Amino acid sequence: MGTSVPLGTLYGITIKVHPTFVLLVIWVMYQWGFAAGAGLRFPVIALAPLGDIFASVLLHELAHARVAQRYGLTVQDIVL
């Protein structure tokens, strides 16, 4: 996925985020904040659970990649 933005490298695996993740952030801020009538404060607070979900998915996929490396496969990148 050539349009993905690299975040860094762990264990020789490049971690990338697809640009559509920005759309998810905007949607969460709108749905959990403005559409719910909570004003500007709640959308910012709502990003914490989104960050937690992002971190857990990253760790999950990194675990898959590490197991693949243990079995001798080459893992170049993870795109979230």
Side-chain angles (χ1 to χ4, degrees), residues 52-76:
D52 292 343
I53 293 169
F54 179 79
S56 66
V57 171
L58 173 61
L59 290 174
H60 177 87
E61 294 304 322
L62 190 59
H64 282 298
R66 292 292 290 156
V67 169
Q69 286 179 333
R70 181 172 291 245
Y71 283 101
L73 298 172
T74 302
V75 180
Q76 296 177 354

Side-chain angles (χ1 to χ4, degrees), residues 2 18 24 34 36-37 64 67-68 76-77:
H18 197 270
L24 179 63
F34 300 116
H64 282 298
V67 169
Q76 296 177 354
D77 59 10

